[in-house]
Structures are given as structure tokens and as C-alpha cells.
Amino acid sequence: ADQIINQSEIVTHAAMTYLRSLHQGPTFLDECMPRMLTIWLDFANSIQEASSVRCKDAKYISLLDNAKRQLSKLNKAIATTKAKIPTYYYLTAFPQIVSQICHTNQETYLVLKSLINKVFLDFPQQAFWHMVYV
């Protein structure tokens, strides 16, 4: 978790690069969408875990604040991208999205919830089966 916090700008840049790839079309959809979701959700989870640690020095707090800003930037980019790419892109990784429905980071949870709602509205029959056991 500390390594991800230390390299938050690189993590954000990597996720944004996958998002840009998705804007170009579905050619690498099966590689880009799951990887982008993994990077984003793991990053958010690492920040949440690091925030719960009590003993922090000034440098660590500064790194954590920067990581939180980077996560906020990433959350906004994903929320914006939601309207710009076809919904079926998210349907391809819907099980991965649904598995994170109880994400501990509130801002990330709200973006996930909006993604789930969008997929549900556009593809109710397909999305329903992924949500049966939730």
C-alpha cells in the first residue's frame, strides 16, 4: 500500500492511459477495461487502508493527501468517461464492478454505483443475472 501511495501520480497516469485507450474503440476492450478497473479500485482501497493508520509523520500525510487528490482526479475522469463510451464496454467487466459494490472509499463507491445504474438501465436483462446473488 505504501508503494502505491508513494507513486500515486504514476498509478493515476496508468489508469488514465487505459481510459484513453477505451476512447479509441473496443479493439483492446478485454484488456483495458479490467486492468483499468483493477488499478483504480486497488488504488482507492490502498488509500482507504492508509488513511486508517494512526501513526503518520508529516511526509506520509503529505503523500497521502497527494494520493487522495490523484484518486479524486481519477474518479472524476471515470465518471466523465461513463457518458463518452458505450455502456456495453462496462458490461464486459460487470462482474468485476459488482464485486466491489461495498467499496470502503465513499467517492469511489458513488462512481461505482453510477456505473452499475447506467449498465442496469441500458442492459437490464444482462445486468440482472450478475446482481442476483448480491
Side-chain angles (χ1 to χ4, degrees):
D2 289 342
Q3 185 177 7
I4 290 176
I5 301 301
N6 287 332
Q7 299 176 349
S8 61
E9 292 176 4
I10 295 170
V11 171
T12 304
H13 181 70
M16 297 288 253
T17 302
Y18 283 114
L19 276 177
R20 277 194 294 277
S21 176
L22 291 170
H23 280 282
Q24 302 302 317
T27 305
F28 298 106
L29 175 63
D30 292 335
E31 293 87 9
C32 290
M33 181 61 76
R35 188 67 185 133
M36 184 273 301
L37 290 170
T38 300
I39 291 171
W40 170 46
L41 296 170
D42 287 351
F43 182 45
N45 195 38
S46 295
I47 290 173
Q48 200 65 27
E49 287 176 9
S51 296
S52 65
V53 174
R54 295 288 176 226
C55 56
K56 300 179 216 171
D57 60 349
K59 181 181 178 187
Y60 190 76
I61 291 171
S62 174
L63 286 171
L64 188 57
D65 286 342
N66 182 46
K68 287 180 181 178
R69 281 193 301 277
Q70 293 297 323
L71 178 61
S72 182
K73 176 181 169 184
L74 187 54
N75 283 332
K76 288 176 188 165
I78 291 170
T80 303
T81 301
K82 177 182 70 172
K84 295 180 181 178
I85 63 175
T87 308
Y88 78 88
Y89 283 20
Y90 294 105
L91 188 61
T92 62
F94 200 61
Q96 185 178 3
I97 294 169
V98 170
S99 73
Q100 296 291 323
I101 200 164
C102 295
H103 204 282
T104 55
N105 184 287
Q106 184 64 28
E107 187 180 355
T108 302
Y109 166 75
L110 293 173
V111 176
L112 278 170
K113 188 172 94 170
S114 70
L115 290 176
I116 290 170
N117 287 339
K118 182 170 177 61
V119 173
F120 237 109
L121 290 174
D122 291 353
F123 299 100
Q125 291 178 334
Q126 292 84 356
F128 172 77
W129 292 108
H130 295 288
M131 299 292 291
V132 167
Y133 292 108
V134 178

